[in-house]
Amino acid sequence: MSISSNPRTADHPVADIFVKRWSPRAFTGERISDANLNILFEAARWAPSSNNSQPWRLLYGHRGAVAFDTILGLINARNQRWAQNASVLAILASKRLHQGVGQERPTLARNHSLDAGAAWAYLALQASLSGWAAHAIGGFDHDAARHTLHVPEEFNIDVAIAIGKPTDASVLPEDLRAREAPNGREKIAAFAHEGWFPAS
Ligand SMILES: Cc1cc2nc3c(=O)[nH]c(=O)nc-3n(C[C@H](O)[C@H](O)[C@H](O)COP(=O)(O)O)c2cc1C
């Protein structure tokens, strides 16, 4: 079986991993060992965060375990079609409150989701480096996730994540098979502006 080739090219000489990482949907469903999973979590652990608050939390389950089926049940039907073949499904949440050193009371953390996003990105990059893949899923029932996984109100439910071993697109339903290829990006000029926000 051949896995989708990656035709991405960078406009500037970044490390290969930034163009190599992508979000496939075709997974083998094979087990990821706890040792290998911990390598992915370890990468997330070293993400930067506001005040080093490390507000991210990952609730996860291995395929075949109750926690996996519970998270799969939260994911919308369109995403379930491929996410069911992941090795691990996870929900990423982040703590909305932060109590800094010397602070009497916790205050609203402005950057909790930004910090969790950094942790997600580190995990995804490491997954790719390790021969696995991580695919973020926004299409799931956030309220049900809070309720079912007992997530306290002070945490934001950020995103679901499927982790799996990439395989040939032939395992996917036809409509997804056609889309199973790395996509492109806007040019730098579309998002980076020296000075002021550009007039539209
Ligand atoms: C927060 C977030 C939510 C996403 N939600 C979904 C989703 O519900 N279903 C899906 O198939 N892909 C989802 N994706 C994957 C994006 O479509 C994908 O990251 C984007 O097209 C860029 O492609 P790449 O990750 O392969 O580089 C999500 C990605 C992020 C970061």
Side-chain angles (χ1 to χ4, degrees), residues 8 21-23 25 79 82 135-139 159 183 185:
R8 289 175 170 177
R21 183 220 57 83
W22 68 291
S23 304
R25 294 184 178 85
N79 285 314
W82 58 270
H135 192 139
I137 303 172
V159 80
N183 52 20
R185 289 297 187 271

Side-chain angles (χ1 to χ4, degrees), residues 17-127:
I17 187 59
F18 293 109
V19 283
K20 189 169 169 264
R21 183 220 57 83
W22 68 291
S23 304
R25 294 184 178 85
F27 292 133
T28 62
E30 73 196 63
R31 187 175 172 83
I32 182 170
S33 68
D34 286 330
N36 282 333
L37 187 59
N38 273 329
I39 293 173
L40 275 46
F41 292 163
E42 181 71 19
R45 182 179 167 225
W46 290 101
S49 61
S50 172
N51 284 307
N52 200 18
S53 54
Q54 303 160 65
W56 46 78
R57 302 290 184 275
L58 274 168
L59 309 167
Y60 71 94
H62 283 273
R63 190 153 188 265
V66 175
F68 182 99
D69 293 337
T70 302
I71 297 171
L72 186 62
L74 301 168
I75 292 173
N76 69 24
R78 228 185 128 62
N79 285 314
Q80 271 181 358
R81 295 183 301 155
W82 58 270
Q84 64 182 325
N85 290 327
S87 305
V88 161
L89 289 175
I91 296 289
L92 176 65
S94 55
K95 197 172 181 182
R96 291 176 164 134
L97 298 175
H98 177 68
Q99 189 158 7
V101 184
Q103 263 186 328
E104 230 171 73
R105 261 179 254 112
T107 50
L108 219 50
R110 256 190 212 171
N111 300 306
H112 56 88
S113 284
L114 182 83
D115 296 341
W120 142 252
Y122 275 33
L123 184 153
L125 288 167
Q126 182 60 54

